[in-house]
Amino acid sequence: MRLTLLGTGSPESYLRRASSGYLVDLGGETIQFDCGGGSFGRMLEAGYKPTDIDRLFFSHLHTDHMMDYARLVHARWDDGRGELPVHGPAPIGTITERLFGRDGAYFADLTARTEHEPSKEIWLERGGSLPRPWPAPKVVEEQPGYSVQGEGWTLRSCKVPHAQPFLTCMGYRVDSAGKSVVYSGDSGPCDALTELSRDADILIHMCFNLSQEARGPEWLWGSSGHKEVAATAAAANVKTVILTHFRPHMDAEGMHDQIKAEMSEIYKGDIVIGEDLMTFDL
Ligand SMILES: [Zn+2]
């Protein structure tokens, strides 16, 4: 199993960090968690192609977790794999239809690419056949707690507190060959995520701000700070915690050392400040 961090940033524009995206290469299959702005380019930088992505899972539908969704679907389709399996909360089905449906946002582009003679010739040269089908992501709208059985891997999910009641929000765990990676999605501390993370090798956890920056309990309810992440990692007994969803001020000089020092008083495992394109082999 190889984990690649495609995007460790937030909604804020930040050249150093793309928005959320994580790729797990499971040997036979490669899955991706979230598809935030910039994550598509990072996927290419990491040496993967759009057609390498076998399955996409959304934690929730904040735009910083899905801005590159259309890019991935379109590029994968253009390279000959139009039916990307997509799992995520509602309304991902509606969003997909409004992007790629016959009356969708890309109606004119897709009509041209499938009906314009030069485009059809290029398609045939690539090994395609006519008539050229439109992109057709296989979207399944899921409820927290669902699971997926893949080839040699199992995925489980749980509900996490973040942006309810406006968004359904999930955390994920993938297990393969005795190894495990958990992705919190965007989440405050909660028992369900702690249990999902139990004894995991890696927990990728959002850290939206320093704990002392929280403006009140309701702030921390849905977005963990570094000490909340440490408490979750300790309670779940994970081997390594990777902090992600960083904002620019959290990369100021000395800040990473401070974050790690304060976390290590709570959590004794390995602490990694995630950076785009970091890889972890399990
Ligand atoms: Zn979010």
Side-chain angles (χ1 to χ4, degrees):
M1 188 190 301
R2 165 170 277 204
L3 166 67
T4 302
L5 309 184
L6 301 180
T8 59
S10 74
E12 288 180 61
S13 303
Y14 192 16
L15 196 55
R16 173 170 169 172
R17 299 178 183 277
S19 296
S20 294
Y22 310 90
L23 194 149
V24 185
D25 189 334
L26 295 152
E29 291 183 279
T30 299
I31 65 174
Q32 183 170 330
F33 294 118
D34 290 341
C35 207
S39 65
F40 182 89
R42 293 288 193 243
M43 181 261 295
L44 299 178
E45 287 182 73
Y48 291 90
K49 302 185 296 295
T51 50
D52 291 330
I53 309 303
D54 293 303
R55 209 171 275 269
L56 175 63
F57 297 91
F58 282 111
S59 66
H60 66 300
L61 297 176
H62 266 146
T63 48
D64 57 313
H65 294 251
M66 62 169 301
M67 274 291 196
D68 274 2
Y69 175 48
R71 181 91 198 272
L72 176 61
V73 167
H74 195 288
R76 191 176 181 276
W77 168 76
D78 209 28
D79 285 347
R81 289 190 81 186
E83 298 186 344
L84 175 67
V86 178
H87 302 258
I92 188 59
T94 302
I95 289 170
T96 303
E97 185 63 23
R98 288 180 179 174
L99 289 172
F100 294 105
R102 292 282 163 179
D103 296 320
Y106 298 117
F107 152 80
D109 170 84
L110 295 172
T111 300
R113 287 184 197 281
T114 55
E115 297 187 17
H116 191 220
E117 286 304 325
S119 294
K120 290 198 287 191
E121 286 176 23
I122 291 170
W123 175 242
L124 288 172
E125 287 170 10
R126 290 183 188 166
S129 58
L130 298 174
R132 186 179 183 186
W134 280 35
K138 291 189 288 187
V139 177
V140 184
E141 291 189 342
E142 306 279 12
Q143 292 290 334
Y146 81 96
S147 60
V148 173
Q149 183 69 51
E151 291 179 26
W153 56 271
T154 302
L155 176 133
R156 290 184 285 145
S157 65
C158 74
K159 179 181 176 181
V160 296
H162 177 52
Q164 288 86 348
F166 305 102
L167 298 175
T168 299
C169 306
M170 299 186 233
Y172 286 110
R173 175 179 180 131
V174 61
D175 286 271
S176 180
K179 300 295 182 182
S180 49
V181 170
V182 177
Y183 168 44
S184 68
D186 284 357
S187 177
C190 71
D191 290 344
L193 181 64
T194 301
E195 285 313 308
L196 190 74
S197 307
R198 177 74 54 204
D199 300 326
D201 292 287
I202 287 177
L203 167 61
I204 309 162
H205 204 305
M206 79 98 78
C207 181
F208 186 64
N209 45 236
L210 302 188
S211 297
Q212 49 268 38
E213 294 176 314
R215 296 174 194 171
E218 71 287 347
W219 186 268
L220 285 173
W221 176 84
S223 294
S224 295
H226 66 302
K227 293 178 184 174
E228 290 71 38
V229 175
T232 297
N237 191 42
V238 303
K239 292 188 178 68
T240 298
V241 67
I242 301 171
L243 277 70
T244 189
H245 212 294
F246 261 42
R247 294 184 293 149
H249 76 284
M250 295 156 75
D251 289 325
E253 188 163 357
M255 195 63 82
H256 289 194
D257 289 341
Q258 178 189 336
I259 288 169
K260 286 186 182 179
E262 292 179 358
M263 289 180 70
S264 64
E265 293 175 11
I266 301 167
Y267 167 66
K268 303 306 178 190
D270 293 332
I271 301 165
V272 176
I273 307 289
E275 298 281 355
D276 290 11
L277 297 175
M278 274 185 172
T279 59
F280 302 83
D281 289 309
L282 298 169

